[in-house]
Amino acid sequence: MDDQLLKVLRQVAPGTPLREGLENILRAKSGALIVVGDNERVQAISEGGFVINAEFTPARLYELAKMDGAIILSEDLKRIVAANTQLVPDLSIPSSETGIRHRTAERVAKQTGALVISISQRRGVITVYKGNLRYVLKDLEVVLAKANQAVQTLEKYRSILNQTMVNLTVLEFEDSVTLYEVTKAIQRTEMTLRVVREIERYICELGSEGRLVVMQVEELASNIEEEGLLVIQDYSVVEDKTPREIMAMIGSWPAEDLLDLTLMARALGYSGGPRALEQGVSPRGYRILQRVPRLPLPVIENIVRTFGNLSRILQASIEELDEVEGIGEARARLIKEGLKRYWNQIVQERYR
């Protein structure tokens, strides 16, 4: 449902020709019923009207909205197919709407799967329907205020996530990680990603008006998902699920489940109750090795396969690293130096 909503919001976002036409209709205090898609299911419930088959422009949409009936647009929004069309959907399809135009819009959307837009003449509101989706477009000032508030929340969540990851990294270097720190890091990652997804919806609804929000979010959300996937890859003991599948499963949980760290531990393949969070665990080393400059993924895979966990990788000598496939003496020194520099960086960040 979220992906479908985002797709719909992009189609009617400010800056698009369709939104310009809708705004023109609103400013004229007119109503309209617009169907996006001229497929067989839409044709089957359409009666009368005029065949237009003209290039779509906002001005033409506005002028045609002065007539009664529905306006039919092509799926790609490049042409106006017909206007003044009467839509006759199945009346047995349930509708929660009260006005005739909105009831028709909801039933047409459910029956055909097309995007249907209804503009209320009396209330000056744009409502979009697609399948079972119903969404009322909000005033841009309201959306922008909510987006800015969400960005402030994202800044706080990102700061907490960064500190959580720094603490986890220190414990990984010290080989004293417990399952609690691991599940806490994944929990914080998912909580932050949920704020990002919330802002994405606002961005889609803002369209061209949300450029500054986009730039802020791109900076704040960089590498969050990648970091979370690497944590899962380091600690998961589930053999039949990839890190991305595990993250997707966690992402589908309701908010209350996300607060349960024992449930998070079970998603990683660990059993037991709250006491299980106290057990010590060792990372495989994928996340830390990613911090070493110019270290290809196949080489990281070879290192992890050879040594088994981060502790043994950190203790390995240059000669032992040199024996790993894909690593020569020069790269072995690069790895040792890179890990040392990263440790020094993490220690500094921990005490800021």
Side-chain angles (χ1 to χ4, degrees):
M1 185 64 78
D2 284 346
D3 290 341
Q4 187 181 61
L5 175 58
L6 293 180
K7 183 178 179 181
V8 168
L9 291 177
R10 290 188 188 102
Q11 288 181 290
V12 297
T16 62
L18 177 57
R19 183 57 175 264
E20 184 182 343
L22 299 179
E23 293 290 348
N24 289 341
I25 296 169
L26 272 182
R27 281 193 290 271
K29 301 188 184 304
S30 298
L33 181 59
I34 301 164
V35 180
V36 179
D38 186 33
N39 56 45
E40 292 180 357
R41 286 173 293 180
V42 173
Q43 293 172 7
I45 61 171
S46 301
E47 293 182 359
F50 304 102
V51 176
I52 304 296
N53 196 23
E55 181 184 353
F56 175 89
T57 66
R60 285 173 178 166
L61 182 68
Y62 162 68
E63 293 296 340
L64 291 171
K66 294 176 182 178
M67 294 190 291
D68 292 331
I71 301 170
I72 312 295
L73 307 179
S74 62
E75 190 76 38
D76 60 7
L77 293 170
K78 292 183 177 179
R79 302 195 70 75
I80 301 174
V81 178
N84 193 225
T85 301
Q86 183 179 358
L87 299 174
V88 191
D90 185 349
L91 297 180
S92 66
I93 296 174
S95 173
S96 58
E97 299 289 3
T98 53
I100 294 175
R101 180 183 289 128
H102 287 69
R103 262 205 314 270
T104 301
E106 186 174 21
R107 285 173 173 152
V108 169
K110 289 180 177 179
Q111 185 171 344
T112 67
L115 170 61
V116 186
I117 304 166
S118 179
I119 301 178
S120 171
Q121 182 174 0
R122 189 179 74 255
R123 293 182 296 138
V125 172
I126 302 173
T127 308
V128 295
Y129 306 85
K130 188 172 177 66
N132 292 318
L133 170 67
R134 175 188 182 276
Y135 190 81
V136 178
L137 297 184
K138 300 175 181 65
D139 184 89
L140 289 182
E141 290 185 5
V142 173
V143 178
L144 188 58
K146 288 184 176 181
N148 287 329
Q149 186 177 10
V151 168
Q152 291 176 6
T153 302
L154 178 59
E155 288 177 345
K156 294 176 184 176
Y157 273 54
R158 183 64 199 255
S159 176
I160 295 171
L161 174 61
N162 288 346
Q163 191 58 54
T164 302
M165 287 297 185
V166 167
N167 291 338
L168 175 63
T169 303
V170 170
L171 293 174
E172 287 178 339
F173 272 101
E174 296 174 347
D175 195 24
S176 54
V177 180
T178 67
L179 200 51
Y180 173 82
E181 285 86 28
V182 176
T183 53
K184 197 70 179 176
I186 298 172
Q187 179 199 56
R188 283 293 175 187
T189 298
E190 176 57 30
M191 291 172 70
T192 308
L193 286 174
R194 291 191 181 194
V195 179
V196 173
R197 288 193 286 270
E198 180 72 17
I199 298 174
E200 283 176 355
R201 198 189 76 190
Y202 294 138
I203 288 171
C204 288
E205 196 164 351
L206 287 168
S208 59
E209 300 296 321
R211 289 186 294 269
L212 291 177
V213 178
V214 171
M215 288 188 288
Q216 288 175 289
V217 172
E218 283 180 349
E219 181 177 353
L220 288 170
S222 62
N223 298 323
I224 293 177
E225 185 176 20
E226 293 80 359
E227 191 90 346
L229 288 169
L230 288 169
V231 173
I232 295 174
Q233 189 174 13
D234 267 343
Y235 293 98
S236 171
V237 293
V238 179
E239 295 182 357
D240 60 343
K241 284 189 176 71
T242 65
R244 191 166 292 280
E245 288 171 337
I246 294 173
M247 178 171 275
M249 178 181 67
I250 294 170
S252 68
W253 290 353
E256 55 269 21
D257 286 352
L258 196 60
L259 300 177
D260 188 346
L261 294 182
T262 58
L263 193 61
M264 192 81 66
R266 285 198 288 273
L268 294 175
Y270 300 90
S271 58
R275 294 293 296 273
L277 298 175
E278 299 173 8
Q279 75 179 82
V281 287
S282 296
R284 294 184 176 92
Y286 288 103
R287 189 172 69 91
I288 299 297
L289 288 172
Q290 287 276 3
R291 299 293 186 175
V292 178
R294 300 183 298 281
L295 194 58
L297 184 58
V299 174
I300 293 176
E301 293 279 2
N302 291 339
I303 295 172
V304 173
R305 194 180 303 114
T306 301
F307 294 100
N309 60 51
L310 179 63
S311 178
R312 292 183 61 194
I313 294 170
L314 294 173
Q315 293 170 10
S317 64
I318 291 176
E319 290 73 20
E320 289 172 323
L321 287 170
D322 188 10
E323 293 176 4
V324 177
E325 183 180 354
I327 299 180
E329 183 180 347
R331 178 167 278 170
R333 291 185 183 279
L334 178 69
I335 292 170
K336 295 294 286 185
E337 292 170 3
L339 291 171
K340 184 178 179 180
R341 278 198 301 271
Y342 185 49
W343 165 246
N344 292 333
Q345 175 189 333
I346 286 297
V347 170
Q348 291 175 2
E349 289 184 14
R350 189 185 194 186
Y351 295 107
R352 278 180 183 173

